[in-house]
Amino acid sequence: MQKLPRQWLHILATVGWLTSVGVTIVDATEPSQAVLPVVISVAADGVQRATVTLDSYSYSPNHLIVETGKPVELTLISVTTIIPHNFIIKDPAGSLSVEQDVSAGKTVTLKFTPTQAGTFPIYCDKRLWPLPSHRDKGMEGKLEVR
Ligand SMILES: [Cu+2]
């Protein structure tokens, strides 16, 4: 094995500590996380509202179904104590591009209006080098626009 400079060892030790904290948080989570698609209903004012919980490393629910052409308002609730996350939706074809940071323990509202039908990835691209990205750890989902 290659010899690492002292600073690197310190960084790796810190990363290891953060990881163990993250694992503890995941263990404390109820195993009954929603995995079924959630059809977001349209409110009387025409807005499609839903709440998504962000944890390390998941979105719950993680499969949202909305209607095209109507505004979507998502309340993003982070239940983590240390690790910051974000919420990105990207249509590779460009019809939708949304990115919202959600600091540990914070709640933020995200608004957008999907204009094209399709299924688009939702993911967190945060990453603590040299660990895999949060998306690689399973922090992803999908937005289905009908
Ligand atoms: Cu994340």
Side-chain angles (χ1 to χ4, degrees):
M1 179 167 164
Q2 205 177 327
K3 203 161 186 230
L4 295 171
R6 180 173 284 274
Q7 297 98 313
W8 283 38
L9 291 175
H10 179 73
I11 290 167
L12 290 173
T14 307
V15 166
W17 177 76
L18 286 175
T19 307
S20 59
V21 170
V23 169
T24 306
I25 294 166
V26 170
D27 287 346
T29 309
E30 289 288 310
S32 57
Q33 298 281 315
V35 286
L36 294 173
V38 171
V39 178
I40 302 180
S41 56
V42 182
D45 60 3
V47 179
Q48 311 181 81
R49 285 190 187 84
T51 297
V52 177
T53 300
L54 288 73
D55 204 346
S56 302
Y57 298 87
S58 65
Y59 297 113
S60 182
N62 64 5
H63 183 170
L64 308 173
I65 300 174
V66 297
E67 290 179 35
T68 183
K70 291 179 180 151
V72 175
E73 189 179 304
L74 298 179
T75 300
L76 306 174
I77 302 175
S78 166
V79 296
T80 71
T81 49
I82 295 174
I83 303 172
H85 292 294
N86 61 20
F87 187 95
I88 297 172
I89 308 174
K90 276 236 162 67
D91 170 10
S95 77
L96 190 61
S97 180
V98 172
E99 180 166 348
Q100 177 65 57
D101 275 314
V102 189
S103 302
K106 300 291 185 205
T107 296
V108 295
T109 304
L110 172 65
K111 293 176 191 173
F112 60 92
T113 301
T115 55
Q116 288 285 321
T119 299
F120 311 119
I122 297 173
Y123 58 93
C124 174
D125 74 351
K126 298 275 185 196
R127 175 187 194 134
L128 189 61
W129 185 90
L131 298 176
S133 72
H134 293 184
R135 185 182 196 179
D136 289 336
K137 293 183 179 196
M139 196 158 186
E140 62 181 351
K142 53 188 163 185
L143 177 77
E144 196 175 329
V145 182
R146 291 177 174 171

